[in-house]
Amino acid sequence: QVQLVESGGGLVQAGGSLRLSCAASGLTFGYYAMGWFRQVPGKDRDFVAAINVGGGLSTYYADTMKGRFTISRGVAKNTVYLQMNGLQPEDTAVYYCAAQYGSTGSKRSQDQAQYPYWGQGTQVTVSS
């Protein structure tokens, strides 16, 4: 049974940083591209970032996250991370990690329908 468990959310002041973690089990981690999405109540879930499989481990970001967020994966720990710097109140949301089998691309990585596995989410709240 595939499980994705996010952690690291919390309350932070504007300009601060958080690192989210997503621990994966029940799958061969190295075969799955991983993504982060976020959702504000009453709004659609939005793409944040994704990281590919393979030697290149290419990464993809939503435009508003480029330069502030960094996605990485720790293969030994079956964990994907999202380092978030320069947080702003508009970054307040529930953050979800997700997994899709195989290599992904820029367009496919942003498509929620391509991810069959999801975590339960972790709340990030940024105060002004």
Side-chain angles (χ1 to χ4, degrees):
Q1 180 180 358
V2 175
Q3 278 195 314
L4 303 177
V5 180
E6 302 97 334
S7 61
L11 174 64
V12 65
Q13 289 188 331
S17 298
L18 283 174
R19 188 176 83 153
L20 305 183
S21 300
C22 172
S25 61
L27 51 75
T28 304
F29 186 66
Y31 290 172
Y32 283 77
M34 303 296 293
W36 286 96
F37 292 77
R38 69 186 187 183
Q39 188 171 26
V40 176
K43 295 190 176 181
D44 293 335
R45 190 158 50 187
D46 293 328
F47 171 75
V48 174
I51 186 165
N52 216 335
V53 297
L57 292 180
S58 49
T59 55
Y60 310 94
Y61 296 92
D63 288 342
T64 55
M65 284 69 169
K66 287 179 182 177
R68 297 192 302 129
F69 292 7
T70 303
I71 188 171
S72 61
R73 56 195 302 157
V75 177
K77 294 184 177 181
N78 283 9
T79 302
V80 61
Y81 304 98
L82 184 69
Q83 177 67 41
M84 306 186 294
N85 299 326
L87 285 163
Q88 299 300 317
E90 52 267 33
D91 294 314
T92 295
V94 177
Y95 284 72
Y96 299 90
C97 75
Q100 63 172 257
Y101 182 79
S103 181
T104 190
S106 178
K107 189 173 182 180
R108 186 166 181 255
S109 69
Q110 300 182 44
D111 182 1
Q112 298 179 49
Q114 301 297 325
Y115 293 86
Y117 304 112
W118 291 82
Q120 82 290 348
T122 186
Q123 176 71 47
V124 171
T125 303
V126 185
S127 63
S128 58

